[in-house]
Amino acid sequence: SGENKLSWQVKDLIPNCEYYFRVKAVNKIGGGDYIELRNPIIAEDPKQPPDPPVDLEVHNPTSKSVTLTWKPPLFDGGSKIMGYIIEKLAKGKERWERCNDYLVPLLTYTVKGLEEGKEYQFRVRAENAAGISEPSRITPFVKAVDPIEAPKVFLAANLQSGLEVKRGDEIILEAHISGSPYPSITWLRNDEVVRPEDIKKRVITPKKRGEAEEEKPFQLSLPERMSVDNHKEGESILSIRDSIRADHGTFTIKVENDHGVAKASCEVNVLDTPGPPVNFVFEDLRKNSVICKWEPPLDDGGSEILNYVLEKKDNTKAEMGWVTVSATLRHCKFHVTKLIEGKEYLFRVFAENRVGAGPPCVSKPMTAKDPFSPPDAPNKPDVEDVTSNSMLVKWNEPKDNGSPIIGYWIEKREINSTHWARVNRNLVNALEVKVEGLLEGLTYIFRVCAENAAGPGKFSPPSDPKTARDPIMPPGPPIPRIADTSATSIELEWAPPVYNGGGDITGYHVYKQLMGVNEWSRCTAKPIKVLQFTVGEVREGADYKLRVTALNAAGEGPPGETEPATVAEPKEPPTVELDVSVKAGIQVMAGQTIKIPATVTGRPIPTIVWTVEEGELDKDRVVIENVGTKSELTIKNALRKDHGRYVITATNSSGSKSAATRVEVFDVPGPVLDLKPVVTNRKMCLLNWSDPEDDGGSEITGFIVERKDAKMHTWRLAVDTDRSKCDITGLIEGQEYKFRVSAKNKFGTGPPVEIGPILAVDPLVVPGPPSCPEVKDKTKSSVALAWKPPQKDGGSPIKGYIVEIQDEGSTEWKKVNEGDKLFPTCECVVPNL
């Protein structure tokens, strides 16, 4: 390099290649001899033994072994770790022993061959090409004993909610087991230990003569069909082949070691057809029907009973087969009908579940016949409460002959007829019945029979004859009251008796009694049929009692009597009451009818006067009707002027009384006032007017303005305005127009007011002054003048001109024209100068 250094770093060497190096010194003269390395140098990093392994831990110690795990050194010494050396030290010993014969390439190792009960410490060294590391940190002492673990057991996941198999299928129960020491295994069924057994030999015993053969299928017992597989540690499998219904139940696996017991259970259901129903009995036996009743099977086959099948068989004929009565029965009861009386029947019933139908339950023989007979006949009926169209028939309850009586049939017969007619359409469930619809005057007899489940019995003897007619008694008392009195009479009214005695009321008698006298005198010469009577021939100021009696075909009934009444003309001050519909006032539209009804009372009868405040009644249109206590004022086709406060006054000797109500008559407003054109020109017309004198009883809401050509018949171009003036535009110059205006309120539009015809022209004014006057010619006594016409004619053609003259030195102008004559043209001659 030529530098004065005693060391030099050589870069860019190829790894693992061998190199020789030499050095020579150089001065000004030149270079000396080289010094050369004796041996070549390999280009490689320097190597050293690795660091010790870290995180040494002990796992799963047993009486024979223990498992160690660790992590590699933080620095491998520059060379790959080839493996690890594990060493142990027994407690009480001083020398470490190597556990592995060969380097362990992994980070875990199970040390075996330990002595049970001894305590050990462990350490690990790492080794690479450069050598062996220092040992790792030493573990605490670990004792070589088996771990203590209580047993555990659980069934396979598909068995957690139970196991359901069909008959003949294999039952397989799998359990998973853990525990230290490994526990013993026991299987139980319904809490009883079950173990596999060898198949036993069966001895067949011969049947005795006449002994019925039982058709029971041959079955091996459950232990003979069971096997248990425990060869695989941590697992136990129980299997039962050729399952039968009797195998169902709760299967339990029990595992046990020195540290505890564990169990797991599974409900095993073996599906089979149900057993036979039990307790088949008959109820409510009849000659053509019977109720069959049974109870569910003792064993439902492990599945819900879906329905029952009921069959019957004619037991009198051996060749007859079984006939299905019903195959869809949900309940354990069925009413079998259409049996033939006297025949003997057998019944059998099957239960069905989702697997199928089980064996039947066969009934005892049953003969179709009633267990009872119809009831006896009742005794002779009694007939009471006879009227013109009804009778009450009563009877006693007969003997029912074994079946409760469900009702009675009643028949009637007219005494001269041979035909009995049924009275009731439905059975009567009582010991009496009211027979209605009889014909008055006819004589009837009745008979009754009872009915039970066996049918109707015999009829009773007929009742005694009874004729249909109402029993007649004298009527009850009428209910009288004093209606009015005067100086010479008493007005009596009454209500009919509550009880007419069974016959029509034919009339009434009225009696009077002077107070202080014991005798009653009859006021009526013959019975009267009206419910009022005026009792005369009485003394003014005396007190009388009155009574009324009613009569029918049976005679005169007891009287109804009044309290004492004084014969005098009563005095009552008048009262006036307006009808409730008009008290608060009346509001009508013009043209409608005004009605004010009132009630007026008083003794003596008051004089009635109708008036209207702020005016007088229109006698030609007002109608007043006074009938009894009613008084009514009527005005047809009401007008606006009919509004006001109407007063009715009643007066008699005892005083005076008034009542009043307000009447409002509404109408459309009247015609507008002072309609006139304010401004008129050739294009428009401004109309002005005043509100109507009569607003119709309602505020003016606006006006309608219409126009038409003077020669046309149709009004058009209606304008609605709420002001009392209107500007009408769009007129045609020189055309004549008519206008009309109507007022409005909430009830409608009033009559229109017309104006016109109005000519659509500008208004006339005086013409402007002529211009440029000049003298055209002159003589000694005259002057000829000329001028130009005015620029504006004032809206009308110029009729002529007026010429005036003024003397010099005078201030007065004199007219040149003679009289009222005008100069027609723009020139003239002024004479007489």
Side-chain angles (χ1 to χ4, degrees):
S1 66
E3 293 184 9
N4 187 14
K5 291 183 178 181
L6 298 180
S7 66
W8 188 259
Q9 184 177 4
V10 182
K11 298 180 179 180
D12 299 327
L13 300 182
I14 298 172
N16 299 322
C17 285
E18 291 184 348
Y19 291 89
Y20 285 95
F21 297 92
R22 62 183 182 178
V23 181
K24 71 178 178 178
V26 179
N27 61 13
K28 294 180 181 180
I29 302 302
D33 295 330
Y34 282 97
I35 182 173
E36 185 176 331
L37 290 177
R38 184 175 297 177
N39 297 318
I41 298 298
I42 300 175
E44 62 180 359
D45 290 333
K47 294 179 182 180
Q48 63 185 47
D51 288 350
V54 296
D55 297 341
L56 176 63
E57 293 181 357
V58 179
H59 301 278
N60 301 330
T62 69
S63 59
K64 302 289 184 182
S65 64
V66 68
T67 300
L68 303 177
T69 61
W70 58 89
K71 292 181 180 178
L74 298 178
F75 176 59
D76 61 2
S79 177
K80 179 180 178 182
I81 301 295
M82 296 184 294
Y84 297 91
I85 299 169
I86 295 91
E87 296 176 329
K88 66 182 178 182
L89 173 66
K91 192 173 184 179
K93 299 283 184 77
E94 296 180 357
R95 183 181 175 188
W96 287 88
E97 297 180 14
R98 180 166 173 164
C99 300
N100 52 326
D101 297 331
Y102 306 100
L103 289 176
V104 175
L106 306 176
L107 298 176
T108 181
Y109 181 74
T110 299
V111 180
K112 298 181 180 180
L114 303 180
E115 293 184 30
E116 185 174 0
K118 277 193 175 185
E119 295 184 15
Y120 293 88
Q121 285 183 305
F122 299 91
R123 67 183 184 184
V124 182
R125 297 173 185 266
E127 184 176 345
N128 65 5
I132 300 174
S133 72
E134 291 295 318
S136 67
R137 295 182 64 179
I138 302 171
T139 66
F141 281 104
V142 178
K143 196 171 185 178
V145 291
D146 288 329
I148 298 173
E149 181 184 355
K152 294 180 182 179
V153 62
F154 59 91
L155 295 171
N158 63 325
L159 304 176
Q160 297 298 320
S161 58
L163 176 65
E164 189 174 82
V165 298
K166 287 187 178 181
R167 177 181 176 177
D169 292 348
E170 187 174 8
I171 299 171
I172 298 177
L173 303 177
E174 181 180 347
H176 300 278
I177 304 158
S178 64
S180 179
Y182 192 71
S184 61
I185 301 171
T186 306
W187 284 91
L188 302 91
R189 175 179 173 274
N190 296 336
D191 295 331
E192 292 185 3
V193 177
V194 288
R195 292 186 177 86
E197 295 180 2
D198 294 333
I199 299 175
K200 302 173 185 176
K201 292 184 178 180
R202 262 64 173 180
V203 178
I204 300 175
T205 57
K207 296 288 182 183
K208 297 179 181 179
R209 281 190 183 180
E211 197 176 280
E213 292 189 5
E214 296 183 6
E215 297 182 359
K216 286 187 178 180
F218 173 73
Q219 293 286 356
L220 293 174
S221 66
L222 186 144
E224 292 175 314
R225 292 178 284 109
M226 183 181 81
S227 62
V228 177
D229 183 3
N230 292 333
H231 77 280
K232 185 176 180 181
E233 185 172 332
E235 189 175 276
S236 178
I237 299 175
L238 171 81
S239 60
I240 302 172
R241 62 184 183 279
D242 301 330
S243 62
I244 59 175
R245 172 63 187 149
D247 294 341
H248 75 279
T250 303
F251 284 79
T252 304
I253 181 172
K254 175 182 175 184
V255 295
E256 184 176 3
N257 66 8
D258 295 338
H259 307 293
V261 179
K263 293 182 180 180
S265 298
C266 174
E267 291 289 337
V268 176
N269 186 19
V270 180
L271 297 179
D272 197 358
T273 57
V278 295
N279 298 334
F280 195 110
V281 294
F282 297 108
E283 290 183 356
D284 198 15
L285 176 62
R286 297 287 188 275
K287 61 184 178 183
N288 51 15
S289 68
V290 70
I291 294 178
C292 296
K293 195 174 179 182
W294 59 91
E295 294 179 6
L298 300 178
D299 181 11
D300 63 1
S303 177
E304 179 188 5
I305 301 296
L306 300 178
N307 67 288
Y308 296 93
V309 179
L310 180 63
E311 296 179 346
K312 70 179 179 181
K313 180 179 184 295
D314 185 352
N315 204 32
T316 57
K317 296 180 181 179
E319 67 276 7
M320 295 295 289
W322 290 94
V323 178
T324 300
V325 176
S326 176
T328 58
L329 298 177
R330 297 286 296 172
H331 303 288
C332 298
K333 187 176 183 180
F334 188 71
H335 189 197
V336 182
T337 57
K338 298 181 182 180
L339 301 181
I340 300 173
E341 186 176 5
K343 276 197 172 186
E344 187 178 78
Y345 291 91
L346 280 178
F347 291 87
R348 68 180 183 183
V349 63
F350 303 84
E352 280 188 347
N353 60 10
R354 57 192 173 104
V355 177
C361 173
V362 182
S363 72
K364 295 179 180 179
M366 181 276 300
T367 302
K369 64 179 182 179
D370 287 332
F372 41 77
S373 58
D376 291 347
N379 292 340
K380 182 172 73 172
D382 294 326
V383 180
E384 301 174 0
D385 298 342
V386 179
T387 69
S388 61
N389 60 0
S390 66
M391 297 181 187
L392 182 64
V393 182
K394 296 184 176 180
W395 59 91
N396 70 312
E397 183 177 0
K399 186 179 178 182
D400 61 11
N401 291 330
S403 176
I405 292 174
I406 58 177
Y408 298 88
W409 297 106
I410 300 92
E411 292 185 350
K412 68 181 179 182
R413 180 167 69 88
E414 205 277 319
I415 196 67
N416 296 318
S417 173
T418 59
H419 175 66
W420 286 93
R422 179 68 63 82
V423 170
N424 53 321
R425 292 186 177 181
N426 300 315
L427 282 169
V428 173
N429 194 18
L431 295 176
E432 64 179 39
V433 68
K434 187 175 183 181
V435 182
E436 297 181 337
L438 304 180
L439 298 177
E440 187 173 5
L442 296 184
T443 303
Y444 294 89
I445 58 175
F446 300 89
R447 65 180 186 179
V448 183
C449 78
E451 182 176 334
N452 63 8
K458 293 181 180 181
F459 276 98
S460 67
S463 66
D464 294 331
K466 294 285 184 179
T467 303
R469 64 165 64 94
D470 287 330
I472 298 178
M473 300 290 289
I479 306 169
R481 74 177 185 88
I482 302 296
D484 200 2
T485 63
S486 69
T488 58
S489 64
I490 302 174
E491 293 287 340
L492 182 66
E493 295 178 352
W494 60 89
V498 177
Y499 174 59
N500 66 2
D504 294 335
I505 301 295
T506 58
Y508 300 91
H509 278 306
V510 179
Y511 299 83
K512 67 181 178 181
Q513 181 193 47
L514 179 63
M515 294 300 293
V517 178
N518 293 329
E519 294 181 358
W520 290 84
S521 60
R522 196 167 75 180
C523 304
T524 50
K526 59 181 180 179
I528 60 174
K529 293 190 175 181
V530 294
L531 300 177
Q532 62 183 22
F533 186 76
T534 303
V535 179
E537 299 180 6
V538 291
R539 295 201 309 263
E540 186 176 4
D543 293 337
Y544 286 87
K545 273 188 178 182
L546 303 179
R547 60 170 49 167
V548 184
T549 59
L551 293 84
N552 65 8
E556 188 175 6
E561 194 170 306
T562 68
E563 295 293 325
T566 302
V567 180
E569 186 74 39
K571 291 185 178 181
E572 298 177 3
T575 62
V576 179
E577 187 73 22
L578 290 174
D579 189 89
V580 68
S581 62
V582 299
K583 277 187 176 181
I586 302 173
Q587 295 181 341
V588 297
M589 292 294 297
Q592 294 181 341
T593 299
I594 300 172
K595 282 190 177 183
I596 310 176
T599 301
V600 180
T601 61
R603 298 291 293 270
I605 298 174
T607 302
I608 300 172
V609 177
W610 286 87
T611 58
V612 61
E613 295 180 356
E614 304 170 1
E616 294 183 1
L617 294 177
D618 189 344
K619 295 181 180 180
D620 296 333
R621 298 173 48 248
V622 176
V623 178
I624 297 174
E625 291 184 354
N626 296 318
V627 179
T629 60
K630 302 297 181 183
S631 180
E632 185 174 75
L633 180 144
T634 305
I635 303 176
K636 295 185 177 179
N637 298 320
L639 303 176
R640 276 281 294 153
K641 67 178 183 177
D642 294 329
H643 74 280
R645 191 170 183 266
Y646 284 75
V647 182
I648 177 173
T649 305
T651 307
N652 67 6
S653 58
S654 297
S656 180
K657 188 71 174 179
S658 298
T661 186
R662 187 77 189 176
V663 176
E664 297 287 347
V665 181
F666 299 113
D667 198 359
V668 297
V672 300
L673 303 176
D674 301 331
L675 177 63
K676 58 187 178 183
V678 178
V679 177
T680 304
N681 58 34
R682 68 179 185 275
K683 293 183 179 180
M684 57 82 70
C685 180
L686 175 61
L687 298 179
N688 200 349
W689 60 88
S690 300
D691 288 349
E693 184 177 349
D694 181 12
D695 62 2
S698 176
E699 182 183 356
I700 300 295
T701 59
F703 303 90
I704 297 177
V705 183
E706 299 174 285
R707 85 177 190 198
K708 73 171 183 176
D709 296 344
K711 297 179 182 179
M712 303 296 287
H713 298 287
T714 304
W715 292 93
R716 64 185 184 87
L717 199 65
V719 177
D720 205 338
T721 178
D722 56 357
R723 304 173 62 187
S724 296
K725 62 180 180 179
C726 182
D727 192 359
I728 302 173
T729 59
L731 304 183
I732 300 174
E733 185 177 4
Q735 185 76 36
E736 286 188 332
Y737 293 93
K738 285 187 176 182
F739 303 95
R740 69 180 184 185
V741 179
S742 306
K744 292 191 305 178
N745 63 10
K746 68 177 182 178
F747 300 109
T749 305
V753 176
E754 294 187 17
I755 190 173
I758 296 173
L759 185 64
V761 295
D762 289 334
L764 298 177
V765 297
V766 296
S771 62
C772 303
E774 62 179 340
V775 178
K776 291 289 187 183
D777 196 9
K778 61 184 178 180
T779 65
K780 61 180 183 178
S781 59
S782 64
V783 174
L785 299 175
W787 60 88
K788 292 183 180 180
Q791 292 182 354
K792 295 182 179 180
D793 59 6
S796 178
I798 300 296
K799 294 181 180 180
Y801 298 90
I802 297 173
V803 181
E804 294 179 337
I805 188 171
Q806 184 186 58
D807 292 339
E808 185 176 2
S810 174
T811 60
E812 183 181 355
W813 289 90
K814 297 179 181 178
K815 191 167 69 170
V816 176
N817 302 60
E818 296 179 1
D820 294 332
K821 289 185 179 180
L822 300 173
F823 293 110
T825 62
C826 291
E827 59 184 9
C828 74
V829 176
V830 182
N832 303 321
L833 298 177

